[in-house]
Amino acid sequence: MCGIVGYVGRAEAAPLLLHGLKKLEYRGYDSAGIAVVEPHLHIYKTQGRIADLEALLTEGVPPGSLGIGHTRWATHGRPSWENAHPHCDCSGQIAVVHNGIIENYLELRKKLEGEGHVFRSETDTEVVSHLVEKYYAGDLCRAVQAAVTQLKGSYALAVVSSRHPNELIAVRHDSPLVIGVGEGEYYLASDIPALLDFTRTAYILDDGQVARITRESVAVFNQHGAEQLPQTMHISWDPVQAEKEGYAHFMLKEIHEQPRAIRQTLAGRLGVGGALRLAEEIPADFVRGITNVHLIACGTAYHAALYGAYLLQECTDLQVHVELASEYRYKRTRVNDRTLAIAISQSGETADTLGAMRKAKAAGARILAITNVVGSTLAREADAVMYTHAGPEIAVASTKAYTAQLCSLCLLAAYLQQHSQGTYDPDLLRGLLEIPDQMASIFQTCEARIKEYSWERLAAVSDTFFLGRGLDLASAMEGQLKLKEIAYIHAEALAAGELKHGTLALIEPGVPVVALATQPHLLDKLLSNLREVKARHGEVFLIAMDRQRDFSQAADEVLLVPRTYPMLAPLLTVLPMQLMAYYTATARGCDVDKPRNLAKSVTVE
Ligand code: F6R
């Protein structure tokens, strides 16, 4: 997710914009830019750091006191100078910066091109500058209001025009924007850290609102154009709290961002009622004729691969093979030109995943990358890419990128099913649309309880087990990895049916066992495995979905997640386990965001 800043007042805008952008650097970005009005539009952009942008201004900054700025985290179009914001209209008089995703940008672009507009970038954002140009008839705010009626998706926008040297237009729709109040000046930002050095008084725009900001005043309008009274608030956060939006750690913030991350993953790919749109990213020809699929990944992404393999086995007749990338690289693999190799990686830079992907490619496989980082090595070398759109993940432990990978794999499974069988399971995709709200309800109903359990039980133990069957096994593996990597507690994930083949020997009184029970056809089997644990006085924390069932004989504690289609349950059950790992780690005083011996991207073998 990108960063927006803006300024209108009496001071020179450019240094203030750069200062604000620097405060957003922690969020991660691949390019940056500013536009200053004086009297024409002056645009400075770079595919690089803010320092590179500053270097462009060493010759002297334009003295204008109106401007906008942006740090870009690529979503549509690779990181490049052309794709960096701000984006202009044909006349070069209107400049726009944007956070979020315009879902219908391809249709809009086609239409605008047909009307003679000339595009210079691959971004979804550029349609906004041309739409504003199209609707402009002397009133910039009205033109923006008309333009946004055409947009589908999520967006925060800041717009300036050289024809309106005292006017900054801001729009918020599912992507935050805050207006900082100064003395005869206003600041605009997508994130509070960018404001803190200038002011502590702000208006928080509500969804659907458009603001017309001049150095004298702010006028706020709702989506129907009616003027509304903006509410000011005092910001009491210190700069470090502000970067984390008030959360104690980035990991907790990112865990809570999952409803939004899933909405972004689905944006433009799933219409109302579950209509699937993936053909632009993964052309039909690319998947035609495939007979077998190899999924390759490491760590958390490997657990997503296990989930994907299970789904593909259930939904298609393809032969599915899933393997850790570090193993795949050095094994005999049966790859041919009918193999689809799916490499999954948050960073797109993991050395083992890249090595495995190159091996499959050299043997003739078609390569599909599922990654969060646009322009990463994996994305560049793959034949097709499906971006997860989870936004930058700053905590080392992967959370929102994982659920975004699961969501992408659901979409992909339905797509491949459609190609191989001519139809797909509509319940799977309909259920996916409900996942963001269901995730949000888990935070409301379960977080306090998980915190208590983690602080009072898990934090003091040295060994734990995570059990599941079928799809729940992949989730159990992810749950145990999270606990190990950030709380430094030994954890082992097992197929529940395997317990009796040896590991039961380690179940002693009080040993915590986290179990997952979401797959109806495996529930009875799982519960009998849990009774084996209870018979040895192991302590079972059960995460389940079925409200009719009595779990009292099999578990000490039961946490119910919202009911969903069983194949989607892993998108929900992982949340309590992420929270468990997080609260256990904080209780033990661990450095949650930077756990020992783990890097955000593992670029060595
Ligand atoms: C766990 C974690 C690691 C990564 C693994 C692969 O929370 O972050 O296990 O999942 O190093 O990284 P990517 O997905 O970047 O290839």
Short mmCIF file of all heavy atoms in Angstrom, two decimals, residues 473-522:
data_model
loop_
_atom_site.label_atom_id
_atom_site.label_comp_id
_atom_site.label_asym_id
_atom_site.label_seq_id
_atom_site.Cartn_x
_atom_site.Cartn_y
_atom_site.Cartn_z
N LEU A 473 -4.36 -29.85 8.38
CA LEU A 473 -2.95 -30.15 8.65
C LEU A 473 -2.06 -29.02 8.15
O LEU A 473 -1.11 -28.60 8.82
CB LEU A 473 -2.56 -31.48 8.00
CG LEU A 473 -1.09 -31.86 8.12
CD1 LEU A 473 -0.65 -31.94 9.58
CD2 LEU A 473 -0.82 -33.19 7.42
N ALA A 474 -2.37 -28.49 6.95
CA ALA A 474 -1.56 -27.37 6.42
C ALA A 474 -1.63 -26.19 7.38
O ALA A 474 -0.62 -25.52 7.65
CB ALA A 474 -2.07 -26.98 5.04
N SER A 475 -2.82 -25.94 7.94
CA SER A 475 -2.97 -24.82 8.88
C SER A 475 -2.19 -25.09 10.16
O SER A 475 -1.57 -24.19 10.72
CB SER A 475 -4.44 -24.62 9.25
OG SER A 475 -5.21 -24.50 8.10
N ALA A 476 -2.24 -26.35 10.63
CA ALA A 476 -1.51 -26.70 11.85
C ALA A 476 -0.01 -26.44 11.66
O ALA A 476 0.68 -25.95 12.55
CB ALA A 476 -1.75 -28.17 12.20
N MET A 477 0.48 -26.74 10.45
CA MET A 477 1.91 -26.51 10.17
C MET A 477 2.25 -25.03 10.23
O MET A 477 3.29 -24.64 10.73
CB MET A 477 2.28 -27.13 8.82
CG MET A 477 2.22 -28.64 8.89
SD MET A 477 2.52 -29.43 7.33
CE MET A 477 4.28 -29.23 7.17
N GLU A 478 1.34 -24.20 9.73
CA GLU A 478 1.58 -22.77 9.78
C GLU A 478 1.52 -22.27 11.23
O GLU A 478 2.34 -21.45 11.66
CB GLU A 478 0.58 -22.04 8.88
CG GLU A 478 0.66 -20.53 8.89
CD GLU A 478 2.04 -19.96 8.54
OE1 GLU A 478 2.93 -20.71 8.14
OE2 GLU A 478 2.22 -18.74 8.72
N GLY A 479 0.56 -22.80 12.00
CA GLY A 479 0.44 -22.40 13.41
C GLY A 479 1.70 -22.72 14.19
O GLY A 479 2.20 -21.89 14.97
N GLN A 480 2.25 -23.92 13.98
CA GLN A 480 3.45 -24.29 14.74
C GLN A 480 4.66 -23.46 14.32
O GLN A 480 5.47 -23.05 15.14
CB GLN A 480 3.75 -25.79 14.64
CG GLN A 480 3.91 -26.35 13.23
CD GLN A 480 5.35 -26.54 12.76
OE1 GLN A 480 6.20 -26.91 13.54
NE2 GLN A 480 5.59 -26.29 11.48
N LEU A 481 4.75 -23.13 13.02
CA LEU A 481 5.90 -22.34 12.58
C LEU A 481 5.87 -20.95 13.22
O LEU A 481 6.89 -20.42 13.68
CB LEU A 481 5.92 -22.22 11.04
CG LEU A 481 7.07 -21.38 10.47
CD1 LEU A 481 8.43 -21.98 10.82
CD2 LEU A 481 6.95 -21.22 8.96
N LYS A 482 4.68 -20.35 13.26
CA LYS A 482 4.56 -18.99 13.85
C LYS A 482 5.04 -19.02 15.30
O LYS A 482 5.77 -18.14 15.74
CB LYS A 482 3.11 -18.48 13.80
CG LYS A 482 2.61 -18.07 12.45
CD LYS A 482 3.08 -16.70 11.99
CE LYS A 482 4.19 -16.73 11.01
NZ LYS A 482 4.10 -17.30 9.72
N LEU A 483 4.60 -20.03 16.06
CA LEU A 483 4.97 -20.08 17.48
C LEU A 483 6.48 -20.26 17.64
O LEU A 483 7.12 -19.61 18.47
CB LEU A 483 4.21 -21.22 18.18
CG LEU A 483 4.28 -21.20 19.70
CD1 LEU A 483 3.55 -19.99 20.26
CD2 LEU A 483 3.69 -22.47 20.30
N LYS A 484 7.05 -21.11 16.80
CA LYS A 484 8.50 -21.35 16.88
C LYS A 484 9.28 -20.08 16.55
O LYS A 484 10.19 -19.69 17.25
CB LYS A 484 8.92 -22.44 15.88
CG LYS A 484 8.62 -23.82 16.34
CD LYS A 484 9.36 -24.87 15.54
CE LYS A 484 8.91 -25.01 14.13
NZ LYS A 484 9.01 -26.38 13.60
N GLU A 485 8.88 -19.46 15.44
CA GLU A 485 9.74 -18.40 14.92
C GLU A 485 9.71 -17.12 15.73
O GLU A 485 10.71 -16.40 15.76
CB GLU A 485 9.45 -18.10 13.44
CG GLU A 485 8.09 -17.53 13.18
CD GLU A 485 7.88 -17.16 11.71
OE1 GLU A 485 8.78 -16.60 11.09
OE2 GLU A 485 6.80 -17.45 11.21
N ILE A 486 8.58 -16.83 16.40
CA ILE A 486 8.61 -15.57 17.15
C ILE A 486 8.59 -15.74 18.67
O ILE A 486 9.03 -14.87 19.39
CB ILE A 486 7.50 -14.58 16.71
CG1 ILE A 486 6.12 -15.14 16.98
CG2 ILE A 486 7.64 -14.14 15.28
CD1 ILE A 486 5.10 -14.01 17.04
N ALA A 487 8.06 -16.91 19.16
CA ALA A 487 8.03 -17.09 20.62
C ALA A 487 9.13 -18.04 21.09
O ALA A 487 9.31 -18.24 22.29
CB ALA A 487 6.66 -17.60 21.05
N TYR A 488 9.83 -18.64 20.14
CA TYR A 488 10.95 -19.56 20.44
C TYR A 488 10.51 -20.72 21.34
O TYR A 488 11.22 -21.11 22.27
CB TYR A 488 12.14 -18.82 21.08
CG TYR A 488 12.48 -17.49 20.41
CD1 TYR A 488 12.93 -16.42 21.16
CD2 TYR A 488 12.35 -17.32 19.04
CE1 TYR A 488 13.24 -15.21 20.56
CE2 TYR A 488 12.65 -16.11 18.44
CZ TYR A 488 13.08 -15.07 19.20
OH TYR A 488 13.38 -13.86 18.61
N ILE A 489 9.34 -21.25 21.05
CA ILE A 489 8.85 -22.43 21.78
C ILE A 489 8.82 -23.59 20.81
O ILE A 489 8.33 -23.45 19.67
CB ILE A 489 7.43 -22.18 22.34
CG1 ILE A 489 7.50 -21.13 23.45
CG2 ILE A 489 6.82 -23.47 22.87
CD1 ILE A 489 6.15 -20.74 24.01
N HIS A 490 9.34 -24.72 21.25
CA HIS A 490 9.33 -25.88 20.36
C HIS A 490 7.88 -26.26 20.04
O HIS A 490 7.04 -26.40 20.94
CB HIS A 490 10.05 -27.07 21.00
CG HIS A 490 9.90 -28.30 20.17
ND1 HIS A 490 9.15 -29.36 20.58
CD2 HIS A 490 10.32 -28.58 18.92
CE1 HIS A 490 9.15 -30.28 19.61
NE2 HIS A 490 9.86 -29.81 18.60
N ALA A 491 7.59 -26.42 18.77
CA ALA A 491 6.23 -26.78 18.36
C ALA A 491 6.35 -27.78 17.22
O ALA A 491 7.24 -27.68 16.38
CB ALA A 491 5.47 -25.54 17.91
N GLU A 492 5.44 -28.73 17.23
CA GLU A 492 5.49 -29.76 16.19
C GLU A 492 4.09 -29.93 15.63
O GLU A 492 3.13 -30.08 16.40
CB GLU A 492 5.97 -31.06 16.84
CG GLU A 492 6.39 -32.10 15.86
CD GLU A 492 7.00 -33.31 16.58
OE1 GLU A 492 7.59 -33.13 17.66
OE2 GLU A 492 6.84 -34.41 16.06
N ALA A 493 3.98 -29.92 14.32
CA ALA A 493 2.67 -30.14 13.71
C ALA A 493 2.60 -31.57 13.22
O ALA A 493 3.57 -32.09 12.65
CB ALA A 493 2.46 -29.18 12.54
N LEU A 494 1.45 -32.18 13.42
CA LEU A 494 1.30 -33.58 13.04
C LEU A 494 -0.07 -33.80 12.42
O LEU A 494 -1.06 -33.19 12.86
CB LEU A 494 1.31 -34.46 14.29
CG LEU A 494 2.60 -34.89 14.92
CD1 LEU A 494 2.27 -35.70 16.14
CD2 LEU A 494 3.39 -35.74 13.94
N ALA A 495 -0.11 -34.73 11.45
CA ALA A 495 -1.41 -35.24 11.02
C ALA A 495 -1.95 -36.00 12.22
O ALA A 495 -1.26 -36.87 12.77
CB ALA A 495 -1.21 -36.16 9.83
N ALA A 496 -3.15 -35.64 12.64
CA ALA A 496 -3.66 -36.19 13.91
C ALA A 496 -3.62 -37.73 13.91
O ALA A 496 -3.37 -38.35 14.94
CB ALA A 496 -5.06 -35.68 14.16
N GLY A 497 -3.83 -38.32 12.75
CA GLY A 497 -3.83 -39.78 12.66
C GLY A 497 -2.46 -40.39 12.89
O GLY A 497 -2.33 -41.59 13.11
N GLU A 498 -1.43 -39.60 12.81
CA GLU A 498 -0.05 -40.08 12.98
C GLU A 498 0.37 -40.17 14.44
O GLU A 498 1.37 -40.79 14.78
CB GLU A 498 0.92 -39.14 12.26
CG GLU A 498 1.14 -39.46 10.81
CD GLU A 498 1.76 -40.83 10.61
OE1 GLU A 498 2.95 -41.01 10.96
OE2 GLU A 498 1.06 -41.72 10.13
N LEU A 499 -0.40 -39.54 15.30
CA LEU A 499 -0.03 -39.44 16.71
C LEU A 499 0.24 -40.81 17.31
O LEU A 499 1.24 -41.03 18.00
CB LEU A 499 -1.19 -38.76 17.44
CG LEU A 499 -0.91 -38.04 18.73
CD1 LEU A 499 0.16 -36.98 18.53
CD2 LEU A 499 -2.19 -37.36 19.22
N LYS A 500 -0.64 -41.73 16.97
CA LYS A 500 -0.53 -43.07 17.57
C LYS A 500 0.65 -43.86 17.04
O LYS A 500 0.93 -44.95 17.52
CB LYS A 500 -1.84 -43.83 17.33
CG LYS A 500 -2.22 -43.98 15.88
CD LYS A 500 -3.58 -44.63 15.73
CE LYS A 500 -4.05 -44.70 14.30
NZ LYS A 500 -4.30 -43.38 13.68
N HIS A 501 1.35 -43.33 16.04
CA HIS A 501 2.48 -44.07 15.48
C HIS A 501 3.79 -43.66 16.12
O HIS A 501 4.85 -43.77 15.50
CB HIS A 501 2.52 -43.89 13.96
CG HIS A 501 1.32 -44.48 13.28
ND1 HIS A 501 1.08 -45.84 13.23
CD2 HIS A 501 0.26 -43.90 12.67
CE1 HIS A 501 -0.06 -46.07 12.60
NE2 HIS A 501 -0.58 -44.89 12.26
N GLY A 502 3.75 -43.11 17.29
CA GLY A 502 5.02 -42.83 18.00
C GLY A 502 4.97 -41.59 18.86
O GLY A 502 5.34 -41.63 20.05
N THR A 503 4.47 -40.48 18.31
CA THR A 503 4.59 -39.20 19.02
C THR A 503 3.74 -39.13 20.29
O THR A 503 4.02 -38.35 21.19
CB THR A 503 4.24 -38.04 18.07
OG1 THR A 503 4.95 -38.23 16.85
CG2 THR A 503 4.62 -36.69 18.64
N LEU A 504 2.74 -39.98 20.38
CA LEU A 504 1.90 -40.02 21.57
C LEU A 504 2.74 -40.20 22.84
O LEU A 504 2.35 -39.78 23.93
CB LEU A 504 0.89 -41.16 21.41
CG LEU A 504 -0.43 -41.08 22.15
CD1 LEU A 504 -1.12 -39.73 21.97
CD2 LEU A 504 -1.37 -42.19 21.66
N ALA A 505 3.90 -40.79 22.66
CA ALA A 505 4.81 -41.00 23.81
C ALA A 505 5.18 -39.67 24.47
O ALA A 505 5.55 -39.64 25.64
CB ALA A 505 6.07 -41.71 23.33
N LEU A 506 5.10 -38.57 23.72
CA LEU A 506 5.50 -37.27 24.28
C LEU A 506 4.34 -36.52 24.91
O LEU A 506 4.51 -35.42 25.44
CB LEU A 506 6.12 -36.40 23.17
CG LEU A 506 7.41 -36.93 22.58
CD1 LEU A 506 7.88 -36.01 21.47
CD2 LEU A 506 8.48 -37.05 23.64
N ILE A 507 3.14 -37.05 24.80
CA ILE A 507 1.98 -36.37 25.40
C ILE A 507 1.93 -36.73 26.89
O ILE A 507 1.62 -37.87 27.26
CB ILE A 507 0.67 -36.75 24.68
CG1 ILE A 507 0.76 -36.44 23.18
CG2 ILE A 507 -0.52 -36.02 25.32
CD1 ILE A 507 0.90 -34.98 22.80
N GLU A 508 2.25 -35.76 27.70
CA GLU A 508 2.26 -35.96 29.15
C GLU A 508 1.27 -34.99 29.78
O GLU A 508 0.79 -34.07 29.11
CB GLU A 508 3.67 -35.65 29.68
CG GLU A 508 4.69 -36.63 29.19
CD GLU A 508 6.08 -36.30 29.66
OE1 GLU A 508 6.31 -35.16 30.13
OE2 GLU A 508 6.94 -37.18 29.56
N PRO A 509 0.94 -35.15 31.06
CA PRO A 509 -0.01 -34.23 31.67
C PRO A 509 0.40 -32.76 31.47
O PRO A 509 1.56 -32.40 31.69
CB PRO A 509 0.03 -34.61 33.15
CG PRO A 509 0.38 -36.06 33.12
CD PRO A 509 1.33 -36.23 31.97
N GLY A 510 -0.57 -31.98 30.98
CA GLY A 510 -0.34 -30.53 30.83
C GLY A 510 0.31 -30.10 29.54
O GLY A 510 0.43 -28.90 29.28
N VAL A 511 0.74 -31.05 28.68
CA VAL A 511 1.35 -30.63 27.40
C VAL A 511 0.28 -29.98 26.52
O VAL A 511 -0.75 -30.61 26.26
CB VAL A 511 2.00 -31.82 26.65
CG1 VAL A 511 2.36 -31.45 25.22
CG2 VAL A 511 3.22 -32.30 27.39
N PRO A 512 0.49 -28.72 26.07
CA PRO A 512 -0.55 -28.08 25.26
C PRO A 512 -0.60 -28.65 23.83
O PRO A 512 0.44 -28.80 23.18
CB PRO A 512 -0.13 -26.61 25.21
CG PRO A 512 0.97 -26.47 26.19
CD PRO A 512 1.59 -27.81 26.37
N VAL A 513 -1.80 -28.94 23.41
CA VAL A 513 -2.03 -29.43 22.04
C VAL A 513 -3.08 -28.51 21.41
O VAL A 513 -4.19 -28.41 21.92
CB VAL A 513 -2.54 -30.89 22.06
CG1 VAL A 513 -2.91 -31.34 20.66
CG2 VAL A 513 -1.50 -31.81 22.68
N VAL A 514 -2.69 -27.84 20.35
CA VAL A 514 -3.65 -27.00 19.62
C VAL A 514 -4.18 -27.86 18.48
O VAL A 514 -3.39 -28.38 17.68
CB VAL A 514 -2.98 -25.72 19.09
CG1 VAL A 514 -3.97 -24.90 18.27
CG2 VAL A 514 -2.41 -24.90 20.23
N ALA A 515 -5.49 -28.02 18.41
CA ALA A 515 -6.05 -28.88 17.36
C ALA A 515 -7.05 -28.10 16.52
O ALA A 515 -7.71 -27.19 17.01
CB ALA A 515 -6.73 -30.08 17.99
N LEU A 516 -7.14 -28.49 15.25
CA LEU A 516 -8.05 -27.82 14.32
C LEU A 516 -9.09 -28.81 13.85
O LEU A 516 -8.75 -29.94 13.46
CB LEU A 516 -7.26 -27.30 13.12
CG LEU A 516 -6.21 -26.26 13.52
CD1 LEU A 516 -5.08 -26.22 12.52
CD2 LEU A 516 -6.86 -24.90 13.61
N ALA A 517 -10.35 -28.40 13.89
CA ALA A 517 -11.43 -29.32 13.53
C ALA A 517 -12.44 -28.61 12.67
O ALA A 517 -13.49 -28.19 13.14
CB ALA A 517 -12.09 -29.85 14.80
N THR A 518 -12.13 -28.44 11.39
CA THR A 518 -13.06 -27.72 10.53
C THR A 518 -13.56 -28.56 9.36
O THR A 518 -14.43 -28.10 8.61
CB THR A 518 -12.39 -26.47 9.92
OG1 THR A 518 -11.36 -26.89 9.03
CG2 THR A 518 -11.85 -25.55 10.99
N GLN A 519 -13.01 -29.75 9.19
CA GLN A 519 -13.37 -30.53 8.00
C GLN A 519 -14.41 -31.58 8.38
O GLN A 519 -14.07 -32.59 9.04
CB GLN A 519 -12.11 -31.18 7.43
CG GLN A 519 -11.01 -30.18 7.07
CD GLN A 519 -11.47 -29.15 6.04
OE1 GLN A 519 -11.87 -29.49 4.92
NE2 GLN A 519 -11.45 -27.87 6.42
N PRO A 520 -15.69 -31.37 8.01
CA PRO A 520 -16.76 -32.24 8.50
C PRO A 520 -16.48 -33.73 8.30
O PRO A 520 -16.73 -34.53 9.19
CB PRO A 520 -17.97 -31.80 7.68
CG PRO A 520 -17.66 -30.41 7.27
CD PRO A 520 -16.19 -30.31 7.13
N HIS A 521 -15.93 -34.11 7.14
CA HIS A 521 -15.77 -35.54 6.87
C HIS A 521 -14.65 -36.17 7.71
O HIS A 521 -14.49 -37.37 7.72
CB HIS A 521 -15.52 -35.78 5.37
CG HIS A 521 -14.24 -35.20 4.85
ND1 HIS A 521 -13.94 -33.86 4.87
CD2 HIS A 521 -13.15 -35.80 4.29
CE1 HIS A 521 -12.74 -33.66 4.34
NE2 HIS A 521 -12.25 -34.82 3.99
N LEU A 522 -13.87 -35.33 8.39
CA LEU A 522 -12.77 -35.87 9.19
C LEU A 522 -12.97 -35.65 10.69
O LEU A 522 -12.11 -36.01 11.49
CB LEU A 522 -11.45 -35.19 8.75
CG LEU A 522 -11.04 -35.46 7.31
CD1 LEU A 522 -9.91 -34.53 6.89
CD2 LEU A 522 -10.59 -36.91 7.16
#
